[in-house]
Amino acid sequence: DAKTTQPPSMDCAEGRAANLPCNHSTISGNEYVYWYRQIHSQGPQYIIHGLKNNETNEMASLIITEDRKSSTLILPHATLRDTAVYYCIVRVFNSGYALNFGKGTSLLVTP
Amino acid sequence: DAGVIQSPRHEVTEMGQEVTLRCKPISGHDYLFWYRQTMMRGLELLIYFNNNVPIDDSGMPEDRFSAKMPNASFSTLKIQPSEPRDSAVYFCASSLGPGTAAGYTFGSGTRLTVV
């Protein structure tokens, strides 16, 4: 699986958009980008995933650059409940099927 | 759907004792994973099963750890004998096979303290 790089921490004001970057410069053509988050004392929670097109669901949007070497997870209107550690994971869609979580980005949403 | 159910939520035991953690995956999910989380090492995959069969146990730290999945609705992770360095939060997760858009569903975890 390709290695990912995320900033260790970020702040965001409540109600504003939170943009969480992830670099994955060694990503290969058949690897997807997954995002999970872990709220304190809970298990990780799936957010979204994509291959090369931008994706949106009820939780977030995922923007993947054209060269696929980086991506951004966007929480359009962050709330205090979005305070969590966000993990960007890159892996082949259906091989091995074990996700390796790195250190992630600790997002603090402030009032 | 009740989600992935883990028990107990908290476990405090003395060094040398046997500890058994339990997990009930989501009905219909054919993959089950055991993870361990500590401050120092983050989330580590210990072992995972597909259709009740262990596929990769390379993350199991040593022979003191064992995991079983006797049927599609139940799995255990056993530590015998337990040591203080085993103190961590243990998560169980389940998923459908490759190709699902839903990814993993994690349980609430078992916080293990070995004193």
Side-chain angles (χ1 to χ4, degrees):
Chain A
D1 297 340
K3 178 180 171 59
T4 62
T5 303
Q6 298 178 254
S9 63
M10 294 182 62
D11 292 345
C12 177
E14 187 178 21
R16 306 296 293 269
N19 297 293
L20 292 94
C22 180
N23 286 321
H24 31 78
S25 59
T26 61
I27 192 170
S28 59
N30 61 348
E31 288 183 311
Y32 282 66
V33 180
Y34 289 79
W35 283 85
Y36 280 74
R37 75 179 181 183
Q38 186 174 22
I39 296 171
H40 182 62
S41 298
Q42 298 182 21
Q45 175 190 25
Y46 166 82
I47 302 173
I48 198 168
H49 74 282
L51 180 62
K52 55 183 177 180
N53 298 320
N54 297 338
E55 302 288 344
T56 296
N57 62 21
E58 66 278 5
M59 291 183 68
S61 294
L62 174 60
I63 308 298
I64 303 175
T65 58
E66 190 169 347
D67 63 7
R68 302 207 324 119
K69 293 184 177 182
S70 65
S71 60
T72 301
L73 178 74
I74 300 173
L75 309 178
H77 306 287
T79 70
L80 299 180
R81 288 173 293 182
D82 291 321
T83 292
V85 177
Y86 288 78
Y87 298 96
C88 170
I89 302 164
V90 172
R91 68 175 308 283
V92 177
F93 196 43
N94 62 353
S95 80
Y97 212 63
L99 293 176
N100 294 313
F101 293 82
K103 296 188 181 300
T105 295
S106 179
L107 174 68
L108 176 63
V109 180
T110 56
Chain B
D1 191 340
V4 176
I5 300 173
Q6 292 187 245
S7 64
R9 287 297 309 273
H10 302 275
E11 177 80 37
V12 180
T13 190
E14 291 186 347
M15 182 173 61
Q17 296 298 306
E18 177 180 296
V19 176
T20 299
L21 311 181
R22 297 172 176 79
C23 175
K24 177 178 170 55
I26 290 175
S27 177
H29 281 190
D30 54 355
Y31 282 78
L32 183 139
F33 307 82
W34 282 100
Y35 281 82
R36 176 173 69 175
Q37 186 170 36
T38 61
M39 288 294 292
M40 291 294 293
R41 301 174 68 91
L43 271 164
E44 302 174 280
L45 176 68
L46 299 178
I47 185 171
Y48 76 95
F49 296 82
N50 177 215
N51 291 323
N52 313 337
V53 176
I55 302 301
D56 184 356
D57 65 354
S58 59
M60 296 286 264
E62 47 196 276
D63 292 345
R64 297 184 298 106
F65 285 69
S66 63
K68 295 182 179 180
M69 192 165 186
N71 56 62
S73 59
F74 184 66
S75 177
T76 59
L77 178 67
K78 184 176 294 185
I79 308 172
Q80 166 64 17
S82 59
E83 297 182 2
R85 60 189 168 129
D86 302 330
S87 297
V89 180
Y90 291 80
F91 289 103
C92 175
S94 71
S95 74
L96 292 172
T100 179
Y104 289 20
T105 301
F106 279 78
S108 299
T110 294
R111 181 173 296 276
L112 174 65
T113 303
V114 183
V115 298

